[in-house]
Amino acid sequence: MTKPLAGHTATEEAPFSLKAILPPLLAIIVGMIMVILDGTVVNVAVPKLVDFFHTDLKTIQWAITGYTLALSAVIPLAGWMTDRFGAKQVFVTTVIFFVLGSALCSIAQDSTQLIIYRVIQGLGGGMVAPIGMAMVFKLAPPERRGAIMGMLGVPMLLAPALGPVLSGWLVEYANWRWIFLINVPIGVIAVILGIAYLPKADRNAAKQLDLLGIILAPIAFSMLAYGVNEGGSVSWTSKGAELGILIGGAALILFIIVELIHKNPLLELRVFRSSDFTRGIILTWIMQASLFGCMLFVPLYLQNIRQFTPLETGLILLPQALCSAIAMPIGGRFFDKYGARPVSFVGLVIIAASLFFLSGIHADTSLYMIMPLLGAMGFGMGLSMMPLNTHVLNAAPRQWVNRVTPLTSALQQVVVSFAVAGMTGYMTSRINHHALEVGKGGNPLEVSVLGFDDVFLLSAWLAVAGVALCLILRKPKEMVVESEQGEEGKPDPSLMIGH
C-alpha cells in the first residue's frame, strides 16, 4: 500500500463518511443520555425518598448535593485523564463507575448509604459529557461539525425533559429503586458499544503533571457549588454558604494563577485570550441562566400551583423536549451553512418571546397556552444551544479541545448553580414583596404566581441580553499556538475508524 504524499490531509486520505462515525457517536450518546437523565429523575423522587427512609428533606437533599459536588470535582480532571490514558479507556471506565454507583443506589438501605452511593455515581458521571463532546468534535470535519454536534445535542436536551416523565411513572407505578436500576442496562449497552466502536485515539506524550491544579480544581468547583447551593436553599449568611464560597473562591483564584503560569495546565485558561471564545462562552452562560426560568420553575409552577402529579408534569413538558429534538439538527445544519450568529440570534429571540409570554400566566392559565409556549421554548433551545457550543469549541485550538471541554463543563456547573440559587432567592423575595402589597386579604396562590411571573420576566430580559450579544458574534479567527500534533482543525485520523 502506497503512503500518502506528505502534506495530504486526513480528509484527502479518507473522505468523511457519516455512516462510519454513527456507531461511535451512538456509544457516546447512550453514555451521555444515561448521566444527564439521572440528573433530573432523582428530583421527582425526593418526597418518596424522605418517606421511605423516615428522614427529613435536608438529609435527602444531600443525595442531590453530593452528586453535584462529585460531578464538579472530577470534571476538571477529564482533560488530563484523556491525555494520560486515552479518551476511549477513560470514557468506558467512567461509564462503568457510574453504572456501579447506580446499582449500589438501588440497594441502599438508609439515607447515608444513598448519599455515599450517589457520590460514587457523580465521580463516574462527571467526565462522561466533556470527554464525549471532545471525541465527537474531533470525529467531525469543520464543515460538518454543526450537524454532527447537533445530533449529539438531541439527547442533551431530551434527557432533562424526559427525566420527570420516566421518574414520575416509576415512582407512582413501580418502585423508587428503578430510577437507579434503569441505568444498569443502559450503561451496559453504552459499555458494549464503547468497547466495540469507540476509536482508540493516540495518547499524548507524558507531560509535567499539574499537581497543584489537580488539588485546587476539585476544591474550587465543588466548594463553590456547595456554597451556592447552601445560599439558595438555606441562607446566604449561613455558615455553609459563607464557608463554601470563601474556600471555593480562594481556591479558584489560586487555581487561575497556577493554570496561567503552568506549562501544561489542567484546564487551558489561555483560551480566553481568544475574543471569539470569550464572547461565545459568555453568551452560552447567559442563555443557560435564562433557560432556567423555564427548565426549573415551570415544573414547580405546575406541581405547586396547579397541583399536577410528577407524571402529569412530565407529560406537559413533553412538547418542549420534542421541539428541542426537531430543532437541534436544523440548528446544526444552519450553523454549518451560516455560522453561529444568525442561528443563535433566532433561537434566543424565540426563547425571549416565550419567556415574556410566560411572565403573564395566572393560577388558571389554560394548558393550551402554556404547552405551545413550552414547545416554542424547546425549539429556541434546540436551535441555539449546540451551534453556540460548537462555536466555542471552534474558537479554541484543536489540540486544546481535551482541556477546553472540561473547562466549559466545569464553568457551566458553577454558572447553573448561581443561576438556580439566584433565581430561587429572587422569587422568594418577590413573593414576600407581593404579599406585603396585597396585605392579609390577598390570595396566597395568586401571590405565589406573581413571584413565578417575575422570575420568567427576569429570564426573558436575560435572553434579550443574549440576543444583543449575538450581534457581535463572528466566525472564529484561528488562535495560533505552538502545534503539538502538527494538525489544525482536521478530524483526528486515529478517531476516523472504518476507513
Side-chain angles (χ1 to χ4, degrees):
M1 181 178 177
T2 58
K3 293 183 180 179
L5 294 174
H8 277 208
T9 64
T11 49
E12 290 170 334
E13 293 171 8
F16 172 76
S17 166
L18 180 61
K19 184 180 178 181
I21 73 161
L22 278 178
L25 184 64
L26 182 61
I28 294 166
I29 286 175
V30 173
M32 288 181 65
I33 199 170
M34 175 184 65
V35 175
I36 297 170
L37 195 68
D38 201 76
T40 57
V41 295
V42 178
N43 295 342
V44 176
V46 165
K48 191 81 171 179
L49 294 172
V50 170
D51 293 339
F52 182 85
F53 289 119
H54 306 294
T55 185
D56 54 24
L57 179 62
K58 189 173 178 62
T59 300
I60 291 299
Q61 281 289 348
W62 269 101
I64 298 171
T65 304
Y67 179 77
T68 304
L69 296 184
L71 281 177
S72 304
V74 298
I75 285 173
L77 306 179
W80 178 80
M81 293 284 286
T82 300
D83 288 343
R84 178 68 180 82
F85 300 106
K88 174 178 180 175
Q89 290 84 343
V90 179
F91 186 86
V92 172
T93 302
T94 53
V95 170
I96 292 172
F97 212 71
F98 185 87
V99 171
L100 173 63
S102 299
L104 289 171
C105 287
S106 71
I107 60 171
Q109 299 301 307
D110 56 51
S111 57
T112 303
Q113 286 185 11
L114 181 65
I115 293 166
I116 293 170
Y117 298 153
R118 283 284 284 167
V119 170
I120 294 173
Q121 257 194 321
L123 293 174
M127 296 188 198
V128 171
I131 293 174
M133 285 191 67
M135 292 178 77
V136 173
F137 184 82
K138 288 181 178 181
L139 279 166
E143 68 275 7
R144 299 290 298 276
R145 277 180 187 153
I148 292 167
M149 293 291 281
M151 292 170 66
L152 178 67
V154 171
M156 293 178 68
L157 287 183
L158 273 176
L162 294 177
V165 179
L166 177 64
S167 180
W169 187 86
L170 290 172
V171 169
E172 285 186 35
Y173 299 107
N175 187 293
W176 66 266
R177 297 185 186 276
W178 277 100
I179 66 176
F180 299 110
L181 269 176
I182 199 169
N183 290 330
V184 176
I186 298 173
V188 169
I189 292 169
V191 170
I192 292 170
L193 290 172
I195 292 172
Y197 297 114
L198 283 181
K200 191 173 182 179
D202 294 333
R203 304 176 191 177
N204 289 343
K207 300 174 183 177
Q208 183 185 357
L209 181 62
D210 181 10
L211 187 59
L212 273 176
I214 287 176
I215 295 170
L216 289 170
I219 295 173
F221 291 109
S222 61
M223 290 306 294
L224 277 174
Y226 170 71
V228 172
N229 181 73
E230 287 290 292
S233 60
V234 183
S235 167
W236 289 104
T237 57
S238 68
K239 188 176 290 185
E242 291 178 346
L243 199 63
I245 292 174
L246 183 64
I247 294 174
L252 182 62
I253 292 169
L254 289 173
F255 176 70
I256 290 170
I257 295 169
V258 167
E259 297 307 277
L260 290 176
I261 63 177
H262 201 282
K263 188 177 180 181
N264 299 300
L266 187 68
L267 296 181
E268 196 51 82
L269 299 182
R270 289 175 294 173
V271 73
F272 281 101
R273 293 175 185 170
S274 164
S275 62
D276 296 313
F277 177 88
T278 304
R279 293 173 194 174
I281 198 72
I282 290 173
L283 180 54
T284 303
W285 293 342
I286 290 173
M287 183 183 69
Q288 288 167 345
S290 70
L291 283 175
F292 268 89
C294 173
M295 298 289 283
L296 178 67
F297 292 99
V298 167
L300 286 176
Y301 162 81
L302 292 172
Q303 291 186 56
N304 295 348
I305 304 298
R306 304 296 294 271
Q307 299 299 306
F308 288 109
T309 66
L311 179 58
E312 289 169 338
T313 299
L315 292 172
I316 293 168
L317 294 172
L318 207 52
Q320 178 183 322
L322 296 175
C323 289
S324 295
I326 292 168
M328 187 68 75
I330 295 172
R333 290 193 184 95
F334 281 162
F335 170 84
D336 289 334
K337 194 170 184 180
Y338 303 109
R341 180 165 61 184
V343 185
S344 55
F345 179 87
V346 173
L348 278 161
V349 165
I350 294 172
I351 291 170
S354 303
L355 283 166
F356 274 120
F357 280 113
L358 278 174
S359 69
I361 61 174
H362 304 289
D364 56 354
T365 300
S366 170
L367 290 180
Y368 292 110
M369 176 183 174
I370 293 174
M371 291 175 74
L373 290 176
L374 295 179
M377 175 81 65
F379 194 87
M381 288 163 58
L383 210 57
S384 54
M385 181 171 285
M386 288 313 287
L388 278 175
N389 286 337
T390 310
H391 170 88
V392 167
L393 292 178
N394 275 342
R398 185 188 167 281
Q399 60 265 44
W400 286 0
V401 169
N402 284 347
R403 306 299 178 102
V404 171
T405 50
L407 171 66
T408 56
S409 298
L411 292 174
Q412 179 182 327
Q413 283 285 331
V414 176
V415 169
V416 165
S417 297
F418 272 102
V420 171
M423 288 188 177
T424 302
Y426 178 73
M427 186 175 75
T428 302
S429 67
R430 294 306 298 168
I431 289 174
N432 293 336
H433 172 77
H434 291 304
L436 289 173
E437 277 188 336
V438 301
K440 291 183 179 180
N443 184 345
L445 203 62
E446 286 296 340
V447 168
S448 296
V449 172
L450 290 173
F452 279 100
D453 287 348
D454 289 341
V455 170
F456 295 142
L457 186 62
L458 174 63
S459 300
W461 283 114
L462 278 173
V464 169
V467 170
L469 194 56
C470 280
L471 299 175
I472 62 171
L473 282 184
R474 65 184 182 187
K475 185 177 180 180
K477 291 182 179 178
E478 184 179 355
M479 185 177 177
V480 180
V481 296
E482 289 185 15
S483 178
E484 298 173 6
Q485 306 294 331
E487 301 172 25
E488 293 173 3
K490 305 300 180 194
D492 189 340
S494 65
L495 293 173
M496 297 299 290
I497 64 171
H499 297 301

